[in-house]
Amino acid sequence: MAVDGGDTLKDLSKDKCVNPRAQFYKKPIRKDNYNLDVDNIDSPQEIRRQQLLQHQKKSRDAAFNIGRGLVEEAFNSEDENDNEMEVDRHKEYKVKKYKNYGNRLMLSEWMLEVPQDFLEKWTMVPCPIGQRTQIIACKGSTKAFNRRGLRLGKFSSALPGGNSENQRNSCTILDCIWVKELKTYYALDILAWSNQTFLNCEAEFRLFWLNAQLQDIKVLKEREYRVNSFPILPLPQIPCDQNLSELLNTIHDLPTLDGLLFYHREGLYTCGRSPLVTWLKSFMLPEVLGIRVPPPFDEKPDGYIDFKHYIQSSTAKRKKGKLTESKMEVVEVNA
């Protein structure tokens, strides 16, 4: 039974013929019943999720120390002399950047199975099409790095530590999406704010704090090149038990939608892929969550069979792309 766009997921309980939780206890998609080639799927996603939650509860101090190390590293890093918004292609520069700033971001897994606590403990964040970017505001300037750690640009921002007039002794690190067409950053998550690390904080608190701070600093919404070169904006956060129409209204205010991130509210920020952050395309919502979505969010790509086949194809393409990038880097280093 599908849920109307204006209904909440909880409205399913009004129909006595349908168990409101039944659709959220789907059989896991395993290698043996669909041959899905997904990273680290040696056990069902729900089991790995619960194991990771337990591990994180025992290792908050370690997460805090890692976050503190990121801030100290930003203060101790040397200032490069490359031009603003240009990339130095020299191989030694690239190696240095990968070592210091690469592979820091938390990446999502496909939602292979709907979490058992989906309604109570998950938050949905719509994501525009763009480039995943880590921005570090420190020592009076702001620098942007891609996922692999290659520096993409240097500019001024109104983040604490981000320009020559704003708390030069502060350091702020955000996980963002860069939308080139709009020359705008959309903030997904927070690693540190004004020297305070957030890696040991649960997602619910991180997202609340991030949006509150971005809303409070009004100049972050503007393009003022001396103080804030590019707008840095928050993204909507919708609890998964709320009305879908609210989600659609907020999506219409964003650039072209790429997909939907789902955060477990108790998850800590960790580098690499995490089952505590999952991902779906909007056209998958009817198939996975039983929620109908209106046009244009229901438009499927050419050749689409089902979400399992789409995930399998996307994973294969990603791995092929990684292999190509690795070969290119070997050629560059040996050149």
Side-chain angles (χ1 to χ4, degrees), residues 84 155-157 222-231:
E84 183 176 342
F155 53 95
S156 295
S157 77
E222 309 297 331
R223 184 174 286 105
E224 207 288 305
Y225 284 95
R226 185 175 60 86
V227 177
N228 195 68
S229 303
F230 308 105

Side-chain angles (χ1 to χ4, degrees), residues 60 63 196-203 205-206 266-269:
R60 284 181 179 270
Q196 176 63 49
T197 176
F198 282 78
L199 296 192
N200 62 327
C201 298
E202 296 181 352
F205 178 76
R206 293 198 317 272
E266 297 177 3
L268 306 186
Y269 193 103

Side-chain angles (χ1 to χ4, degrees), residues 42-301:
D42 295 329
S43 61
Q45 201 169 38
E46 184 66 32
I47 293 177
R48 292 185 291 112
R49 186 177 295 121
Q50 295 303 322
Q51 290 174 341
L52 182 55
L53 282 172
Q54 291 299 319
H55 173 74
Q56 290 185 351
K57 290 178 181 178
K58 299 177 182 178
S59 58
R60 284 181 179 270
D61 290 342
F64 176 81
N65 291 332
I66 292 173
R68 186 170 58 183
L70 296 182
V71 173
E72 292 175 352
E73 187 178 69
F75 275 114
N76 295 330
S77 64
E78 297 178 0
D79 292 327
E80 298 85 8
N81 295 319
D82 54 331
N83 294 326
E84 183 176 342
M85 296 309 292
E86 291 184 355
V87 176
D88 188 337
R89 304 301 298 182
H90 192 278
K91 58 185 180 183
E92 293 181 358
Y93 175 82
K94 288 180 65 177
V95 170
K96 178 180 179 181
K97 290 297 104 180
Y98 296 160
K99 179 180 178 181
N100 291 343
Y101 297 115
N103 303 318
R104 277 187 177 179
L105 299 180
M106 181 166 63
L107 308 178
S108 62
E109 294 187 5
W110 287 101
M111 185 184 286
L112 303 178
E113 55 195 45
V114 182
Q116 296 180 2
D117 53 2
F118 182 73
L119 295 177
E120 297 88 355
K121 293 189 177 181
W122 290 78
T123 296
M124 181 162 39
V125 178
C127 300
I129 293 177
Q131 182 177 18
R132 192 73 176 273
T133 307
Q134 178 184 193
I135 58 177
I136 301 177
C138 188
K139 298 189 293 186
S141 68
T142 305
K143 299 169 187 176
F145 300 86
N146 69 7
R147 281 167 45 174
R148 295 185 298 151
L150 181 62
R151 193 174 116 179
L152 303 175
K154 179 179 178 181
F155 53 95
S156 295
S157 77
L159 296 171
N163 64 63
S164 58
E165 302 177 4
N166 182 18
Q167 304 177 40
R168 290 178 59 90
N169 293 327
S170 293
C171 177
T172 299
I173 306 175
L174 300 184
D175 180 351
C176 299
I177 296 175
W178 164 248
V179 180
K180 183 178 180 181
E181 294 76 13
L182 301 178
K183 296 188 181 303
T184 298
Y185 288 97
Y186 287 87
L188 275 179
D189 214 322
I190 179 172
L191 286 77
W193 185 277
S194 192
N195 298 339
Q196 176 63 49
T197 176
F198 282 78
L199 296 192
N200 62 327
C201 298
E202 296 181 352
E204 183 174 25
F205 178 76
R206 293 198 317 272
L207 298 181
F208 167 79
W209 176 276
L210 175 61
N211 273 18
Q213 298 303 312
L214 296 182
Q215 295 286 359
D216 188 54
I217 304 177
K218 305 300 183 184
V219 70
L220 283 172
K221 301 178 182 179
E222 309 297 331
R223 184 174 286 105
E224 207 288 305
Y225 284 95
R226 185 175 60 86
V227 177
N228 195 68
S229 303
F230 308 105
I232 302 175
L233 305 178
L235 285 166
Q237 303 168 10
I238 303 94
C240 289
D241 62 349
Q242 285 197 6
N243 197 311
L244 181 60
S245 62
E246 180 179 349
L247 166 65
L248 298 178
N249 290 335
T250 56
I251 286 179
H252 281 299
D253 296 332
L254 292 176
T256 305
L257 181 70
D258 187 11
L260 304 165
L261 278 176
F262 297 84
Y263 284 83
H264 193 290
R265 298 172 194 168
E266 297 177 3
L268 306 186
Y269 193 103
T270 56
C271 64
R273 297 195 179 276
S274 171
L276 298 175
V277 185
T278 58
W279 171 258
L280 288 175
K281 295 287 189 177
S282 60
F283 54 79
M284 296 177 174
L285 293 184
E287 192 175 353
V288 180
L289 299 179
I291 299 174
R292 290 198 298 266
V293 293
F297 305 116
D298 62 344
E299 294 179 1
K300 299 178 176 63

